[in-house]
Amino acid sequence: MIRNRLLFADDDSEGSAMVATKPAPLTSVWERSDGELIEAILQFYPTIEPHPILDSTYNAGRMWKGSMRQVVSMDIDPQHKPMILGDNRVMKGVPSNKFGVVVYDPPHVGPQGRDKSVKRFDVDFGATMECGKEHGWTLSYLYPPFLRQAKRVLKPQGLLLAKITDMVNSHKSRWAHCDFMRMAEEAGFTVCDLIVKIRKGPMMSTKWKNSHHARKRHCFWIICRNGNSCEQDGYERS
Ligand SMILES: C[S@@+](CC[C@H](N)C(=O)[O-])C[C@H]1O[C@@H](n2cnc3c(N)ncnc32)[C@H](O)[C@@H]1O
């Protein structure tokens, strides 16, 4: 495995420029950009060659800006012009046992506003999947079919990297990261780590008049391995 090689040349919008040095040991709280965190993760966890990488929710590919990684893009929305246009819960035509890493950054809120029209915000942030009463007011129903496909297309010991944000919906906290971790284990992954990624400020909307919950200034990156090994050196659970 190649370690400590600079494969990320630039920064995305959130942090400062990256310097070509040996990466610091990974800590469980991350205050820089998603792109830098993915690169740090890719230097830390893999036990097999991580390429090719499938980004299964590519959108504009903001996480890969400046990256030199080989990324296969997938999105359900044709306007993002992904290499694979399709639903990551089906992954039609995608070969099994193909990828070293699958990245997953699903929508964490549903369409904004009371009317059903899709807004600019919704498209930019991928907030286009319904999460109303019929779905228990969460987007966690998206995870099990995706997890089955991620397991299928990943090589044994490949990594699934998921960016998951909890949300408040219909006046109640919805703990998406707990759902995802439980569902990933049920799908046959080993959940190896949970990294808290901190934003500079909370996401805000002028529509939110009163606050009843702490404004979220963080999300979680969940590192899962397609196998029973929790650690890089191949420690096998009984
Ligand atoms: C939060 S955005 C991803 C942002 C992206 N990581 C970036 O850095 O630009 C979520 C994306 O997932 C896509 N998406 C939602 N449901 C999907 C599905 N079932 N299959 C594939 N893509 C999906 C949306 O179209 C949207 O582009």
Side-chain angles (χ1 to χ4, degrees):
M1 184 197 356
I2 301 164
R3 281 188 186 273
N4 306 334
R5 206 177 97 200
L6 181 70
L7 283 166
F8 195 86
D10 200 354
D11 187 20
D12 71 14
S13 56
E14 294 184 53
S16 55
M18 194 168 180
V19 181
T21 55
K22 182 177 173 179
L26 207 44
T27 67
S28 61
V29 177
W30 190 262
E31 298 183 67
R32 299 174 73 181
S33 69
D34 284 320
E36 288 168 290
L37 176 55
I38 289 183
E39 185 53 38
I41 287 172
L42 290 176
Q43 301 216 15
F44 192 79
Y45 290 98
T47 52
I48 63 167
E49 163 60 36
H51 298 101
I53 297 169
L54 174 66
D55 185 338
S56 65
T57 47
Y58 189 77
N59 195 276
R62 286 171 283 249
M63 291 172 177
W64 303 104
K65 196 177 158 206
S67 172
M68 292 156 66
R69 298 278 179 183
Q70 307 155 25
V71 179
V72 175
S73 56
M74 170 186 282
D75 205 288
I76 203 168
D77 187 339
Q79 72 173 305
H80 302 307
K81 301 186 174 58
M83 293 174 198
I84 303 173
L85 175 62
D87 189 335
N88 59 31
R89 296 168 293 177
V90 180
M91 295 204 193
K92 190 173 172 203
V94 180
S96 301
N97 198 7
K98 166 88 178 161
F99 295 96
V101 171
V102 171
V103 176
Y104 184 54
D105 175 15
H108 64 270
V109 289
Q112 302 294 290
R114 287 182 189 282
D115 65 75
K116 295 286 181 192
S117 63
V118 174
K119 316 275 189 312
R120 187 72 241 167
F121 172 94
D122 300 341
V123 173
D124 285 350
F125 293 94
T128 51
M129 306 301 277
E130 290 297 331
C131 60
K133 190 176 179 183
E134 65 279 28
H135 297 298
W137 304 105
T138 86
L139 286 161
S140 302
Y141 70 95
L142 298 172
Y143 305 156
F146 160 75
L147 285 161
R148 278 193 292 279
Q149 291 302 316
K151 185 156 178 61
R152 179 180 70 76
V153 302
L154 271 172
K155 294 176 186 164
Q157 308 306 322
L159 294 176
L160 168 60
L161 313 179
K163 179 182 176 182
I164 302 290
T165 307
D166 296 327
M167 68 168 164
V168 174
N169 197 7
S170 190
H171 309 285
K172 203 170 164 205
S173 287
R174 314 286 166 176
W175 303 111
H177 82 281
C178 297
D179 293 339
F180 187 88
M181 288 166 62
R182 176 174 48 78
M183 291 168 176
E185 291 274 350
E186 286 168 2
F189 287 94
T190 297
V191 177
C192 301
D193 257 326
L194 178 67
I195 295 177
V196 184
K197 194 225 153 184
I198 310 290
R199 301 170 58 87
K200 289 202 179 91
M203 285 181 77
M204 295 291 292
S205 165
T206 52
K207 292 185 192 309
W208 301 340
K209 303 287 181 216
N210 302 313
S211 129
H212 301 280
H213 299 263
R215 294 271 191 241
K216 290 194 177 31
R217 200 160 71 78
H218 69 282
C219 64
F220 297 99
W221 274 94
I222 301 169
I223 294 97
C224 306
R225 207 182 297 279
N226 183 21
N228 295 325
S229 304
C230 201
E231 301 187 346
Q232 298 104 303
D233 63 5
Y235 165 71
E236 292 281 333
R237 292 184 307 173
S238 56

